[in-house]
Amino acid sequence: MNTSYRRRRLSLALLSIISQGFLFAQQPEKNPFSQNSTAHAPHILSKEAVYGHKAMVVSAHPMASRVGAEILQRGGNAFDATVAVQFALAVVYPVAGNIGGGGLIVARMPDGKTFALDFREAAPILASRDMFLDSAGNVIPALSTHGHKASGIPGTVDAMVQLHKKYGKLPWKALVQPSVDIARKGVFLTTREADGLNEVRESLEQYNPGKSYFLKADKTRWKAGDKLVQEDLAQVMERIRDKGRDGFYKGKTAELLLAEMKRGGGIFTQKDLDAYTAKWRTPLRGAYRGYDIITMPPPSAGGVGLLQMLSMLETYPLKEWGVNSEKTAHCMIEVERRSYADRAEYLGDPDFYNVPVKGLLSKPYLASRMASYNPDKATPSSELTFGKDVRKYESDQTTHFSIVDPSGNAVSLTTTLNGAYGSKVVIGGAGFFMNNEMDDFSVKPGAPNMFGAIGGEANAIQPRKRMLSSMTPTIVEKDGKLFLVLGTPGGTTITTSVLQAIINVVDHNMTAQQAVATRRFHHQYVPDIVRIESGTFSAEVESALQRKGHSFRNIGAIGKVEMILVRPDTSLEGAADPRGDDSAAGF
Ligand code: DON
């Protein structure tokens, strides 16, 4: 497809989306941005920060944070704790914690060395560009979000094995054992988790006929305090404990996985499992008001977007304007709109598509993007497109946890099945959920995915290609030293939540806990609305922004940021997001 034709198609699709004013092409179970659609933002967000002298783990589940802190206390480093927390989340937080999904890591060592590990799922070898379209070229509803075809090849186990081989200190078995034990003994559900499982009950029955996993034996609804025992998963975790990579991608687990795929019309083969490898990548680096930002490169769109937005915002006096004020919000929304328009055109797997990262991050390019900015008026997305000359400047349901260990190693890891409980398919006999990450590809140019994100050529499906992500695991340095470790779930809102959290600390002088608790807002170019939480803006600010041409949609909770802040005396502030059961554990 030639470029101008592609652009025309994309803009036509955009216009039709805008004029229809709808949010999501395939309406998934309620709010796709929150793991639990019951998770509405309470009016006052509060949770106490946790302080530590030397080490901290912040994750979406108290038990996972505890497992991580115990590993650190036993002399493990942040990489050991990462393996243990990732696997613990697969057991205690099945809505997003996983071995059937993937994720992204950005890490920093005490000497300033950094690395990124991309364990994003890959399209199966038998995948094809139009696999989610019918013969007339229309998107088949739910095919990329539910059921067996929705999954990419999982990356989690391979990444944990590689991470441990390169940087781990404690024996592998010691890191996997806690999840074996918890799966076998059972985990007590919180209200949110019970509600989450109850909400997807119909899908679970539809995609897992005859299997009882995640349904209560007596067919009643889950409630807080119920015990979830996962013996099949315990056995999978034992195989991973004993055989490492081969415990998942070969042998019994692989057989069960491939049999499940066959039963449900999936397209995985053993070749896919053999070929999958997590990839070491070099993090992106940028600067904001004297702080250094270390973040995820493609196939995440998050890092590029974050650095673009910070760079565009740097010339505006956000501190003076204040948090969530009319001026700050208008400026940030306009910056977000422009960055997400670029995302739709230029971002995809860099191993398959030449992502013009350098151009997208160049200062003159970003200045040119803000040339149309009007401080008094919203730029309608229908009048805006991606930056045309970027190559001229060229010379590139989810959960997050943050860890800092006593020697100063820092890990920022975001991991996902995509939607809540992924494709809703549980591998028979293995008891784990599969991802529905194929929906993060652009299944058709201009057709919005479950987060309303659009894309084109850069993010089209190809065998073994990785789908574009918004996940933005990030580390911030101050004066060359570790300062913040943060990230969040939330689909396309991930990048703007990370942006806001950084700005809350850097511009608005907040503590980590305040930065995380502050109400959020999000604009992603298309649809042309500002997504907000209840109480993000005062009534006056909201009306003033409406007069400038912005419209709002309250989508409940936005993101769950898990942040660690290094205080001037080198002690740590662990800030777990009050929007969920998230918890920090430090010492
Ligand atoms: O990688 C991505 O951008 C998405 N799969 C993330 C999905 C997500 O954050 C859902 N959770 N709220």
Side-chain angles (χ1 to χ4, degrees), residues 301-369:
V304 170
L306 177 67
L307 296 183
Q308 280 195 310
M309 293 188 282
L310 286 170
S311 176
M312 287 189 265
L313 286 168
E314 205 171 19
T315 51
Y316 299 94
L318 303 185
K319 180 177 182 161
E320 186 188 305
W321 289 346
V323 65
N324 292 3
S325 67
E326 178 194 339
K327 282 185 173 166
T328 300
H330 177 67
C331 184
M332 286 177 70
I333 292 164
E334 291 305 311
V335 158
E336 292 172 8
R337 184 196 308 279
R338 284 159 177 78
S339 171
Y340 277 74
D342 281 352
R343 174 198 204 272
E345 176 66 13
Y346 291 117
L347 270 298
D349 182 345
D351 297 340
F352 286 76
Y353 184 86
N354 180 7
V355 182
V357 175
K358 230 172 156 186
L360 288 167
L361 296 181
S362 97
K363 286 224 177 272
Y365 171 71
L366 292 168
S368 77
R369 293 294 279 148

Side-chain angles (χ1 to χ4, degrees), residues 287-515:
Y288 180 66
R289 302 197 202 282
Y291 293 79
D292 288 301
I293 316 289
I294 301 154
T295 187
M296 193 70 204
S300 171
V304 170
L306 177 67
L307 296 183
Q308 280 195 310
M309 293 188 282
L310 286 170
S311 176
M312 287 189 265
L313 286 168
E314 205 171 19
T315 51
Y316 299 94
L318 303 185
K319 180 177 182 161
E320 186 188 305
W321 289 346
V323 65
N324 292 3
S325 67
E326 178 194 339
K327 282 185 173 166
T328 300
H330 177 67
C331 184
M332 286 177 70
I333 292 164
E334 291 305 311
V335 158
E336 292 172 8
R337 184 196 308 279
R338 284 159 177 78
S339 171
Y340 277 74
D342 281 352
R343 174 198 204 272
E345 176 66 13
Y346 291 117
L347 270 298
D349 182 345
D351 297 340
F352 286 76
Y353 184 86
N354 180 7
V355 182
V357 175
K358 230 172 156 186
L360 288 167
L361 296 181
S362 97
K363 286 224 177 272
Y365 171 71
L366 292 168
S368 77
R369 293 294 279 148
M370 286 304 273
S372 59
Y373 172 66
N374 179 341
D376 300 320
K377 203 175 161 302
T379 311
S381 288
S382 54
E383 289 172 16
L384 184 83
T385 178
F386 48 87
K388 291 282 174 359
D389 295 327
V390 65
R391 290 194 193 271
K392 203 171 81 188
Y393 299 89
E394 178 75 351
S395 306
D396 163 18
Q397 215 43 308
T398 307
T399 188
H400 179 87
F401 59 87
S402 298
I403 300 181
V404 174
D405 73 15
S407 6
N409 292 301
V411 173
S412 181
L413 185 153
T414 314
T415 181
T416 186
L417 290 166
N418 196 18
Y421 308 97
S423 64
K424 319 291 190 270
V425 173
V426 179
I427 301 302
F432 62 87
F433 279 104
M434 286 301 290
N435 68 81
N436 59 343
E437 222 74 63
M438 291 300 283
D439 188 64
D440 271 351
F441 277 117
S442 172
V443 301
K444 182 182 173 180
N449 72 0
M450 74 157 102
F451 301 104
I454 53 163
E457 191 61 30
N459 191 32
I461 303 174
Q462 278 176 259
R464 304 190 61 182
K465 184 173 170 182
R466 297 176 186 210
M467 55 297 280
L468 186 61
S469 177
S470 299
M471 294 187 287
T472 316
T474 296
I475 290 174
V476 179
E477 287 174 355
K478 186 180 181 182
D479 305 324
K481 296 205 182 82
L482 182 67
F483 180 53
L484 297 177
V485 185
L486 78 160
T488 180
T492 40
T493 65
I494 289 174
T495 317
T496 49
S497 292
V498 170
L499 173 78
Q500 272 184 269
I502 293 175
I503 284 175
N504 287 344
V505 173
V506 171
D507 292 83
H508 304 306
N509 288 327
M510 290 187 193
T511 64
Q513 196 65 54
Q514 289 165 339

Side-chain angles (χ1 to χ4, degrees), residues 180-196:
V180 175
D181 295 340
I182 304 168
R184 181 156 292 144
K185 252 185 150 167
V187 57
F188 296 102
L189 298 180
T190 66
T191 305
R192 282 189 180 87
E193 287 157 359
D195 288 349

Side-chain angles (χ1 to χ4, degrees), residues 43-64:
H43 201 67
I44 295 165
L45 290 175
S46 69
K47 188 170 266 181
E48 293 266 327
V50 170
Y51 299 97
H53 294 284
K54 315 193 263 198
M56 187 69 64
V57 180
V58 192
S59 86
H61 198 285
M63 208 142 170

